[in-house]
Amino acid sequence: MNNSLNSPFVIWTTCFFWLISIFGIFWSIILFFWVGDMIFSTGTDLVNAVVLLSAIVMLPPNFYSLHAIANGKKIEYNAKVFCCRLWTCILWIVIINIIGIILCVQRMYLCQEITKKYISNSMKQYRIAPKHRQFIDKLQWSLGCCGLKSYKDWFSQDWHDKVRDYEWASPNVRDVNAMKQVIEIDSVSMFISCCKSGSCVSSYLKELGNYSINTNGCGNLLYRFIMVSMTVHLIMFLIIIILEIFFLKSIITKNDELDSKNRSNKLNIRHIMSVNDNFEMSSGSYNLNEEDSEIDPSNVYYDEK
């Protein structure tokens, strides 16, 4: 393998691009299947889609570059990679990552407002909408939180059918006033996804305390999680753009150097025959003297061997 045809920066950058493209594909797919509802609800699904698209577009040029390096060939910036030139693929990668940067900045700017709005809406529709119930439960389980700002936010939400849920407490109660008394006894309660472990005391919180449930709200935690995620994506997009630009520049510079060297080797006659530097006469500067011009050619003696 002749690595002199490609600079070390190009070789190492190609390996980095290959790893980042494979990681980006798997990471995006895992997020879509694992926390798809969360990234859709917070508006970060577009950023994740850009990561997946960028990783897929990076595969063909990376495959070509690795193949050229492995076979000791020069990476040509004008080489055809599947349906377009290598420099065109790099240009598209840069454009896609610029779009990713714009989306990251937008999500970071609107993140707090979108997060609070969606959590509040999901809390209101927890009892009637399975999609929002699943989102809230998964959010509270994964982040170890409860409510928007604190667990007390659920006290003002109609998150369960109290009459249906508390009929077991006094099966002999038939009148409405008695049922209201039963409901009032346990009006401060919490559901299972707010528990710190699989089982906890989620009822009678005024009497027994809230030591076994998560008391911190989910709003700030989800906001910080999204901000960290968007910051990581933003840095990744910037690194890819910078490396792709320098990668293309290095390829063009290396190709120009090699082409210039090849042309110099072809035109330099010193590689073919030695030339006396003291020899200054050329065919264009040679002139016959007047005396020599008057010599009769018939008197010239030719030495025949």
Side-chain angles (χ1 to χ4, degrees), residues 276-294:
N276 188 356
D277 294 333
N278 295 324
F279 183 75
E280 298 178 353
M281 182 177 294
S282 62
S283 59
S285 63
Y286 177 73
N287 294 318
L288 291 175
N289 295 329
E290 293 181 359
E291 296 178 355
D292 295 336
S293 61
E294 296 177 354

Side-chain angles (χ1 to χ4, degrees), residues 83-100:
C83 60
C84 56
R85 303 294 179 183
L86 179 61
W87 68 269
T88 308
C89 295
I90 295 176
L91 180 62
W92 276 112
I93 293 171
V94 171
I95 293 174
I96 291 172
N97 283 272
I98 290 175
I99 295 174

